[in-house]
Amino acid sequence: QDVLAESQGLLMTYAAKTGNRELFRQAYGYAKTHLDQGGLLAWYASGEERGQVNALLDDLRVLKSLNAMGGYTEDVMSRAIAIAAENRDEAGNLVDFYSFSDGSRANRLTMCYCDWQALEIIRPLVLDVNQCPLAAAKGKVLQAGQLEEVLLRIDYPIRVQVTPAGRAASSTVTV
C-alpha cells in the first residue's frame, strides 16, 4: 500500500475543517507511524519502505492542520522546530526538501510551497519575529508584484494578478 504525505496532510486538513477529531487522529497517527523521520515526514511510504526526502509543502500542510485542529501544541512546536532546522540552506533560506539519507537540501524554494499561513507558525523560529520579512514579502507579491531581498528565494517568473476596485492589471516578476 502506497501512501503519500500529501494525501495524509489533505485528509488532516479536511478533518480539521469539518471538526472530525477521530478521522484526524487516525490520519495523523498513520503519518507519525509510517512517514515520520525526526519531526519531518517522508514524502511517501510503501509497506516498510519510506521516501528518503521530505517535501516542505507536505510538512507545512500537516503543521497547519495540527494547529487548526487544536490540542496538538507539542506536536506543532516539535514539527515547526524540525522544519526550521532542516528545511533551510546554509544562508538560512527555506528550501523545498531535506534528504534524510545524506543531509543534503534543495537549493531553491518553489513559490507554490509557500503556504503563508503555515509559514507564519514557524516565523519566530526562522528569524527574530520583529525582523522577519515574510508578511511584508507576502503583501508585496500579492499587491505590487514585487519581492525584495527576503528569507525566500524563488527561481522562476511569477505572474501576479492585481485587481483593485474591479480593474484588472498584471505584472510579471522574476525573483
Side-chain angles (χ1 to χ4, degrees):
Q1 177 178 350
D2 297 342
V3 176
L4 302 176
E6 177 180 17
S7 301
Q8 291 307 112
L10 289 169
L11 188 56
M12 290 171 63
T13 299
Y14 170 78
K17 286 185 183 278
T18 60
N20 189 332
R21 286 204 168 273
E22 181 57 22
L23 178 61
F24 190 92
R25 186 191 64 73
Q26 289 175 2
Y28 185 48
Y30 186 93
K32 283 178 25 176
T33 301
H34 298 284
L35 298 167
D36 188 83
Q37 295 200 34
L40 299 176
L41 300 177
W43 74 274
Y44 81 93
S46 181
E48 295 301 312
E49 180 185 349
R50 290 181 187 179
Q52 291 304 302
V53 298
N54 81 315
L56 177 62
L57 176 61
D58 297 338
D59 282 299
L60 289 174
R61 182 180 292 120
V62 167
L63 180 70
K64 184 173 155 184
S65 297
L66 287 165
N67 196 51
M69 180 52 84
Y72 289 90
T73 304
E74 220 173 276
D75 292 82
V76 169
M77 287 308 299
S78 64
R79 291 195 178 281
I81 289 167
I83 293 167
E86 304 299 349
N87 276 95
R88 294 168 69 190
D89 64 15
E90 297 82 24
N93 298 305
L94 289 169
V95 294
D96 289 345
F97 68 82
Y98 169 77
S99 172
F100 305 117
S101 59
D102 65 11
S104 63
R105 292 163 173 83
N107 62 4
R108 70 180 184 282
L109 176 65
T110 306
M111 190 63 172
C112 67
Y113 276 31
C114 295
D115 180 324
W116 298 106
Q117 293 170 339
L119 287 174
E120 285 295 319
I121 297 168
I122 67 166
R123 181 172 65 151
L125 301 171
V126 177
L127 288 176
D128 180 315
V129 73
N130 297 318
Q131 297 176 5
C132 185
L134 284 176
K138 174 179 67 171
K140 287 179 183 176
V141 168
L142 297 178
Q143 293 174 10
Q146 299 174 358
L147 186 63
E148 295 177 355
E149 207 176 314
V150 295
L151 172 71
L152 310 173
R153 181 180 59 240
I154 300 139
D155 62 354
Y156 59 89
I158 302 166
R159 185 127 180 104
V160 180
Q161 294 292 328
V162 182
T163 58
R167 291 182 11 199
S170 67
S171 62
T172 302
V173 181
T174 302
V175 182

